[in-house]
Amino acid sequence: MITSAERSRYWTALLCILAAGLALRLLGIGWGLPGRNAPDEPPIHPDEHVSYDAAENLYRAPTPGAFIYGGALYTRTAYLVGSALARTGVSRDEHFPRTLFGLRLISVSAALASALLVACMARSLFGPGVALAATALFLTFPNTVLDSHYARPDLLMTFFATGALACACRVAVDGSRLFLVLGGLCAGLATATMLSGSIGFVPLAVASLEATATRRGRERVRQCATAGACIAAGGLLGHAAGSVESFIYWDAFRAGLDLAARTHQGGAYRFPADLLTRASGYAFGSVATVAGYAGLVLLLVKRRPGSVTLASSMLAGYVLLGRVGGDMMRHLLFVAAPTAIAAAVSLAAIGRSGQALGRPGAWLTPTLLLHAGAIALTLQLSLAYVLPMQFSEEPRYRAGAWLIEHGQGARIGVTLSYYGDRTYTPRFPPRSEFELVPLMMRHNFDASRYLDLPIDYVVTTDFARFRAKGSTAPAFFEELFSEMRYRLVATLAPPWQPLSVPDWLGSKRPGDLLYVRPTFYIFERRAREGVLARPEGK
């Protein structure tokens, strides 16, 4: 029986954890917003422009015929934020950054709301200690922290998918048909936000099987059929509420599905090795990742009510991601909630097995030490990412300032991404005296022609160096970094490094981590008569 004092301590601790999670997300919340150098300057994060442009279309067409990531719910949300700002008399120059800022606050709110759902699930299934640890882990995961700083639909989708999982856990315990419908509603809203939100239907189906495990024959078939109807009804209602346009503009919705399928065809993960090691290690931290896998095994072995449902969400997420591919920490957001709970469960199990190390009932127990250690290691990883967003000059502006100081009037070659955008190029004030030469890092580009161009400087990044596609890219960067025709005159790296980063698990860092932590390399063409002296201190 939980006493009122214990309940009060639990809620006090939970509120402190949520407050710390909020502070972690407000650090650097203004990172990369447009308008620093010019009113029409694009945001640093390329997807934020996509979200804003889709919402802008609603000013011209009240019903959208295009879909962001397959769903219209986030587009509608962005439109409402922009409309509210427009009615307050915000100028055109300020409308863009303020709309993005408002959408970022929605991402922050979705992350905190998802953390509350994690606490509810973990407490009902495993007790208050595991609930507090799981909530703290979820709020300190690098992918949930970083994505809270972007105007993107991923965390809103994660909130709805986590809501579906919470309902599924309730169904697995008591078989409630009301929560089947509510879970289906949440899963439908998740798919209306992003197509990957369909993962929310999996734990609901598993929960209905768990709830009817004691039934036999026709009775179980009848109850499963009823559960399926409840899930389908809720899902259809949720999707229609969030994206009725997908039914009205079926051709446009199908085109969005085709685009998503082509974009992820073949993927970028070597499933399962790369996905389960490098990608998860960066998204959750290596300690929490290993603990999460151990917890997944425990959930499947112990077979407590709701544990298989929780494990199914984690397993289905990895299978889906392994099939469609991708190479971003945000792609693992929909498994963040079950991973946090599984990690807390495994650490608690290890702590209980070592209970003899401390006095039973003492405050400083092995379980508490393990949870605190895992949270601290994950937290320092996220802090190393967000502190530069708040307190350090953005690398793109640092590269621009270096070139203004040393290369005014020069011809500068900049490597664009293989999408052709300027996500990883220096940022300059307007009317800077440069001639920029775009170097496209696409399939089968002519590397030798790029190096023969009459340009004074080449500016590239670790993103381009390790991720450029095409057979000629390695030869281009190998020759560039050999410093035969160009010499490296500046390396602008992130200022803070975490205590441990799982680089040993793979050579590539996730692309969305490189949004905020790119390394810029500036090369200067060598003079024909010999090697120029490197500028002092550069």
Side-chain angles (χ1 to χ4, degrees):
M1 183 69 179
I2 299 177
T3 65
S4 59
E6 290 174 334
R7 187 178 296 108
S8 177
R9 285 196 297 269
Y10 169 80
W11 283 106
T12 300
L14 182 60
L15 289 175
C16 289
I17 291 171
L18 291 172
L22 174 62
L24 191 61
R25 281 153 179 79
L26 293 181
L27 278 172
I29 192 66
W31 170 87
L33 286 174
R36 168 170 169 168
N37 285 333
D40 58 347
E41 183 181 41
I44 287 177
H45 196 301
D47 292 342
E48 292 190 316
H49 219 314
V50 176
S51 301
Y52 181 83
D53 288 347
E56 278 282 275
N57 289 335
L58 292 181
Y59 290 103
R60 294 182 289 272
T63 305
F67 300 88
I68 297 298
Y69 312 114
L73 179 59
Y74 191 78
T75 306
R76 183 70 65 186
T77 303
Y79 170 74
L80 292 175
V81 172
S83 297
L85 286 171
R87 285 194 292 270
T88 63
V90 173
S91 67
R92 182 65 185 174
D93 291 345
E94 289 293 322
H95 189 264
F96 189 9
R98 291 194 182 188
T99 299
L100 295 185
F101 187 80
L103 292 174
R104 290 182 179 188
L105 292 180
I106 289 177
S107 295
V108 171
S109 302
L112 295 176
S114 300
L116 272 175
L117 292 173
V118 168
C120 292
M121 278 188 288
R123 187 182 185 190
S124 64
L125 296 178
F126 305 107
V130 170
L132 293 175
T135 306
L137 282 171
F138 179 86
L139 287 173
T140 54
F141 280 162
N143 63 343
T144 67
V145 171
L146 281 179
D147 221 78
S148 298
H149 294 77
Y150 308 144
R152 291 183 40 83
D154 297 75
L155 274 172
L156 187 61
M157 180 276 293
T158 299
F159 165 67
F160 290 127
T162 306
L165 177 59
C167 291
C169 290
R170 176 67 180 268
V171 170
V173 174
D174 61 15
S176 170
R177 292 182 182 176
L178 172 61
F179 279 90
L180 274 175
V181 176
L182 289 176
L185 182 69
C186 289
L189 289 169
T191 60
T193 309
M194 288 182 69
L195 291 175
S196 54
S198 59
I199 200 71
F201 289 105
V202 174
L204 289 168
V206 174
S208 64
L209 295 176
E210 269 203 90
T212 59
T214 58
R215 307 293 181 179
R216 292 292 181 270
R218 293 182 179 179
E219 177 65 16
R220 187 179 190 188
V221 172
R222 186 182 65 81
Q223 290 195 4
C224 287
T226 302
C230 291
I231 296 170
L236 187 62
L237 179 62
H239 187 84
S243 183
V244 68
E245 295 85 2
S246 61
F247 300 102
I248 300 175
Y249 298 95
W250 175 250
D251 290 339
F253 180 66
R254 188 174 59 185
L257 292 175
D258 294 339
L259 177 62
R262 290 195 305 271
T263 301
H264 292 289
Q265 188 174 10
Y269 291 129
R270 298 189 305 273
F271 184 75
D274 206 22
L275 173 61
L276 299 179
T277 55
R278 178 180 61 83
S280 299
Y282 278 106
F284 308 128
S286 54
V287 174
T289 296
V290 174
Y293 294 150
L296 175 62
V297 174
L298 284 176
L299 292 176
L300 293 172
V301 171
K302 295 295 184 181
R303 299 291 294 273
R304 296 177 59 177
S307 64
V308 175
T309 295
L310 197 62
S312 71
S313 176
M314 193 171 172
L315 288 171
Y318 278 109
V319 170
L320 173 65
L321 192 57
R323 294 291 298 175
V324 303
D327 196 24
M328 303 283 184
M329 293 194 303
R330 64 178 176 82
H331 291 156
L332 287 160
L333 279 171
F334 49 68
V335 295
T339 298
I341 298 174
V345 166
S346 67
L347 292 172
I350 297 171
R352 283 192 296 270
S353 66
Q355 190 68 46
L357 297 176
R359 300 190 312 277
W363 180 80
L364 197 62
T365 63
T367 299
L368 180 61
L369 290 174
L370 286 169
H371 281 156
I375 293 166
L377 288 171
T378 309
L379 175 61
Q380 65 84 26
L381 193 62
S382 293
L383 281 174
Y385 297 157
V386 299
L387 286 178
M389 299 171 74
Q390 179 70 43
F391 300 110
S392 178
E393 180 77 356
E394 225 293 320
R396 295 157 184 82
Y397 295 111
R398 291 168 60 197
W402 193 99
L403 290 167
I404 288 173
E405 181 182 354
H406 298 89
Q408 282 282 20
R411 299 189 77 224
I412 300 172
V414 292
T415 55
L416 304 186
S417 76
Y418 43 79
Y419 299 114
D421 61 56
R422 295 180 177 271
T423 304
Y424 299 101
T425 59
R427 294 293 179 99
F428 305 104
R431 296 180 299 277
S432 297
E433 297 179 4
F434 297 110
E435 181 183 352
L436 297 182
V437 180
L439 309 178
M440 300 294 294
M441 299 288 104
R442 287 181 173 173
H443 291 282
N444 302 321
F445 66 91
D446 190 343
S448 60
R449 184 179 66 85
Y450 279 171
L451 291 174
D452 289 335
L453 289 174
I455 51 183
D456 303 298
Y457 292 93
V458 172
V459 182
T460 189
T461 63
D462 50 353
F463 179 91
R465 182 182 183 184
F466 296 114
R467 292 169 175 273
K469 297 182 177 181
S471 57
T472 58
F476 170 78
F477 286 105
E478 181 179 355
E479 185 169 355
L480 182 63
F481 279 84
S482 70
E483 301 191 63
M484 296 296 292
R485 282 189 273 184
Y486 288 84
R487 64 191 183 94
L488 183 63
V489 292
T491 300
L492 307 173
W496 284 292
Q497 297 295 335
L499 293 178
S500 62
V501 177
D503 283 330
W504 58 276
L505 297 173
S507 60
K508 294 194 305 183
R509 287 182 290 165
D512 46 356
L513 178 58
L514 291 175
Y515 289 151
V516 296
R517 291 182 68 81
T519 297
F520 275 76
Y521 305 99
I522 302 177
F523 291 85
E524 183 182 37
R525 180 178 288 276
R526 290 182 180 274
R528 291 184 178 180
E529 61 274 11
V531 178
L532 296 175
R534 183 169 298 189
E536 186 67 27
K538 302 297 179 185

